[in-house]
Amino acid sequence: MDDTNSQAFQDRTYISSDGLTLHLRDYDPDSEATEGRLPVICLPGLTRNSRDFHHLALILSRDPVVSRRVIALDYRGRGLSDWDENKANYNLAVEARDVTEACAYLNIGRAAFIGTSRGGLILHLLAGINPDLMDAVVLNDIGPVIEAGGLMKIRDDLNGARLPRDMEDTAALLKLRQGADFAALSDPDWVEMATAIYRDIDGELLPDVDPAIAQQLLSIDFTKPMPDLWAQYESFGKLPLMVIRGENSALLTENTLTAMAERHSDLKIVRVPGQGHPPLLHLEPALREHPDYSCGNLVRRSLGGQPLQSMLSHCQEYKKPGSFEPGFPD
């Protein structure tokens, strides 16, 4: 991971309304080059951090034709942000407020958002409370319905893994636990994932997250129906909206994708082969595939460029039943 490149991004911090110092990465190319283009704000998964988006941010911010500013956030309790002494504040409402305050700190009044897993849930809330902030939304392996089995799998994975000896061991452990769902990943991809999730803290390799966040999953009563976010999903309204699903995702199902399409007239659905929850967006098998499978329409319309088209053109675009010939995830 190219974290050593001091020119790639700026580490910035802001103070939340309840006094925490929160961190973000600002991939801000030459301001003249991006003038008039909306920034892209990336929101990571439940226990993940801004490093997950490093390669994607490089692709978007260094695109030779349509470069743009990219912001990747560390929520409270993750990455380089402060841990919250009040563990009850690790919830969607507080984290949505933190995102809004980050935008205010950066003087961003409107942006395109990419939300992975937990980040996509936060976007559901933001669509209801601050829709003017959004120009377009990409939901990475998440929707208004979360499958209990998929969440139980995440719970067990986060709370049952042993600590690794070194980064090589970390990558091997991740591959052992998740390799069946991520057959598309190479060994270097597993190393990249390991360096995004783990960090050397006081001489020990640890997940870069407050352990209380993973422990919250232990208190969920899976004998009861999971709450859904359909009411919040309706708030996306006429926004350009894309949802990406890993082929092997246990968190987001095909049935939910169909229901989402029925409720959004212009939803774009992208399926990523050989990956589970959540897909790594920076991989580019698109370069080997036929351009007719491009799913870049949303990005071209909302962002005025084709950087994501390059990454996603290997995936089939969803065709609504009856409108085309049949041919059609932390």
Side-chain angles (χ1 to χ4, degrees):
M1 184 170 294
D2 190 19
D3 282 358
T4 59
N5 185 348
S6 61
Q7 303 301 314
F9 59 89
Q10 296 179 9
D11 286 303
R12 304 181 66 174
T13 59
Y14 67 102
I15 307 299
S16 69
S17 56
D18 57 351
L20 271 62
T21 298
L22 303 183
H23 170 263
L24 58 86
R25 286 184 171 193
D26 189 348
Y27 297 78
D28 191 3
D30 185 275
S31 58
E32 293 184 3
T34 60
E35 186 176 358
R37 297 176 191 153
L38 294 176
V40 178
I41 298 178
C42 300
L43 307 182
L46 175 65
T47 60
R48 308 292 275 267
N49 60 73
S50 58
R51 296 196 297 276
D52 268 356
F53 293 102
H54 181 64
H55 287 295
L56 176 64
L58 292 180
I59 291 169
L60 295 174
S61 64
R62 294 177 174 178
D63 184 82
V65 179
V66 188
S67 62
R68 63 183 65 252
R69 184 183 190 184
V70 180
I71 308 296
L73 302 186
D74 285 343
Y75 311 132
R76 59 181 62 211
R78 290 85 156 179
L80 300 182
S81 289
D82 283 350
W83 292 10
D84 199 321
E85 292 184 3
N86 181 2
K87 307 308 179 184
N89 283 338
Y90 294 134
N91 65 69
L92 293 177
V94 171
E95 290 163 13
R97 184 189 69 197
D98 290 342
V99 173
T100 300
E101 291 176 358
C103 292
Y105 162 72
L106 296 167
N107 294 314
I108 293 175
R110 195 166 180 85
F113 286 83
I114 300 173
T116 293
S117 195
R118 173 80 158 206
L121 298 179
I122 291 172
L123 292 178
H124 279 73
L125 267 63
L126 281 179
I129 62 178
N130 197 353
D132 292 340
L133 191 59
M134 298 180 171
D135 190 73
V137 171
V138 177
L139 302 175
N140 185 20
D141 213 60
I142 195 68
V145 176
I146 298 175
E147 296 301 316
L151 192 57
M152 291 171 67
K153 182 177 180 181
I154 294 172
R155 175 202 62 187
D156 296 341
D157 186 51
L158 293 176
N159 289 284
R162 70 168 175 84
L163 292 180
R165 296 183 297 272
D166 51 35
M167 198 57 73
E168 182 178 348
D169 187 36
T170 304
L173 283 174
L174 288 172
K175 185 175 181 179
L176 179 65
R177 298 200 307 262
Q178 302 183 37
D181 290 338
F182 285 88
L185 271 61
S186 65
D187 286 341
D189 294 325
W190 291 108
V191 174
E192 293 287 350
M193 184 186 294
T195 58
I197 297 173
Y198 286 77
R199 182 163 62 94
D200 188 321
I201 302 175
D202 298 328
E204 191 173 16
L205 269 180
L206 297 170
D208 203 2
V209 59
D210 185 340
I213 295 171
Q215 291 166 6
Q216 286 180 337
L217 299 179
L218 297 173
S219 65
I220 297 176
D221 184 355
F222 286 100
T223 66
K224 298 179 180 179
M226 297 290 294
D228 64 58
L229 292 175
W230 282 120
Q232 291 79 7
Y233 178 79
E234 298 293 341
S235 298
F236 287 124
K238 296 182 179 180
L239 277 176
L241 181 64
M242 175 185 286
V243 60
I244 299 165
R245 179 180 183 267
E247 177 186 24
N248 301 317
S249 175
L251 204 70
L252 177 64
T253 67
E254 289 292 329
N255 287 339
T256 298
L257 292 184
T258 299
M260 292 170 71
E262 291 171 350
R263 290 167 169 82
H264 193 290
S265 61
D266 197 26
L267 178 68
K268 306 300 179 184
I269 298 181
V270 174
R271 293 169 177 81
V272 182
Q275 294 201 53
H277 177 82
L280 307 184
L281 299 182
H282 63 269
L283 299 181
E284 297 188 77
L287 299 177
R288 304 190 299 270
E289 300 295 335
H290 195 281
D292 284 352
Y293 290 104
S294 169
C295 295
N297 293 334
L298 170 80
V299 177
R300 288 199 300 272
R301 186 177 70 191
S302 61
L303 299 184
Q306 299 184 10
L308 281 183
Q309 179 188 14
S310 167
M311 291 179 291
L312 300 178
S313 61
H314 64 294
C315 306
Q316 286 185 303
E317 184 170 339
Y318 177 79
K319 308 300 185 182
K320 281 197 171 184
S323 58
F324 295 88
E325 289 298 318
F328 153 92
D330 357 353

